[in-house]
Amino acid sequence: PNGALLKSLTGGIPVQLLGGNRVRVQWTGMKPTAEIKAMDMLARARNLVDFKAALHHFQIGAMNWVVTTSKGDIGYFARADYPIRQKLDPKHPPYGVTPAEGYDFSGKLIPDNHVPQLFNPASGFIVTANNDPVGNSRDGNIFNDRYYLGFTYDSGFRAARLVEQISAQIKAGKKFTPEQMQTLQMDNYSRVGDHLVKRLALAW
């Protein structure tokens, strides 16, 4: 009832090769959602309580939201309706094609307090760069955590580079200018290259 049936995949892999003659697609956006309400409430928010109340209505298209207050608070909140699945199975991981029975959404959602968020961290700054924000994938096993949030994250090199540069600036007692933040945003130094060049040199 909550999925769309596809009898063929035009221009792609014949569905017969996927183990059957039909593919059902399930998505939390296949029902009415309230993103317009969320944006309206965000535009009117006067404090952190209003901000979090507005985000509650942002249900699909998971996004990272950052907030600052006039008191100097900083916060990061990931927001979407994260469905709890009936079953998680290493043989049929949730980021691939799963069998038809027993793997659907359960109808329940992951509670907001278990969705990635950070507020006023001791470091004094927040970094996100498509990396795994809570470390669920760090051990290579997404099936041993309380909730499944995702798996196909960035490797984390980009985030590590940002943490390194920001930490060095803070340690030196220097403040950031808008121009420096733009430079950080456009930085294309490859931490992957650091690892690769060493191995290439060794092989050579």
Side-chain angles (χ1 to χ4, degrees):
N2 294 320
L5 286 176
L6 303 179
K7 294 184 179 181
S8 65
L9 298 177
T10 305
I13 301 174
V15 292
Q16 287 79 3
L17 297 182
L18 299 177
N21 59 6
R22 291 184 302 276
V23 175
R24 188 162 66 85
V25 179
Q26 194 172 27
W27 177 44
T28 52
M30 288 179 170
K31 64 183 190 316
T33 56
E35 287 71 35
I36 293 177
K37 181 176 182 178
M39 300 307 290
D40 180 64
M41 291 177 66
L42 281 170
R44 300 168 186 269
R46 304 289 295 176
N47 51 50
L48 186 65
V49 173
D50 292 349
F51 174 83
K52 294 178 73 172
L55 283 194
H56 182 73
H57 298 284
F58 196 91
Q59 298 172 264
I60 60 169
M63 295 181 66
N64 292 336
W65 297 84
V66 292
V67 63
T68 183
T69 71
S70 57
K71 297 178 181 178
D73 300 308
I74 57 172
Y76 149 77
F77 301 88
R79 182 63 194 120
D81 281 352
Y82 290 86
I84 297 176
R85 298 162 185 268
Q86 293 179 6
K87 180 180 181 181
L88 291 175
D89 179 2
K91 294 181 180 179
H92 305 287
Y95 45 83
V97 178
T98 60
E101 300 296 331
Y103 291 81
D104 288 344
F105 298 162
S106 67
K108 298 179 180 179
L109 299 175
I110 296 176
D112 282 348
N113 62 333
H114 288 280
V115 174
Q117 54 190 276
L118 191 60
F119 189 71
N120 284 343
S123 64
F125 65 91
I126 297 170
V127 166
T128 68
N130 297 322
N131 52 299
D132 181 347
V134 293
N136 285 348
S137 62
R138 184 177 298 145
D139 60 0
N141 184 359
I142 60 168
F143 304 99
N144 59 358
D145 298 292
R146 183 169 183 179
Y147 296 111
Y148 169 71
L149 290 166
F151 184 69
T152 52
Y153 298 103
D154 180 78
S155 62
F157 285 104
R158 168 70 172 161
R161 168 78 171 166
L162 290 168
V163 169
E164 178 185 81
Q165 291 181 295
I166 294 172
S167 298
Q169 185 91 341
I170 293 174
K171 187 175 181 180
K174 298 178 181 179
K175 294 184 178 181
F176 281 96
T177 65
E179 291 74 23
Q180 287 174 315
M181 296 306 295
Q182 290 175 352
T183 299
L184 277 179
Q185 178 67 27
M186 300 304 294
D187 176 49
N188 60 5
Y189 185 92
S190 174
R191 292 286 296 264
V192 177
D194 287 341
H195 291 256
L196 180 61
V197 168
K198 292 176 183 178
R199 284 160 176 74
L200 288 175
L202 183 63
W204 181 263

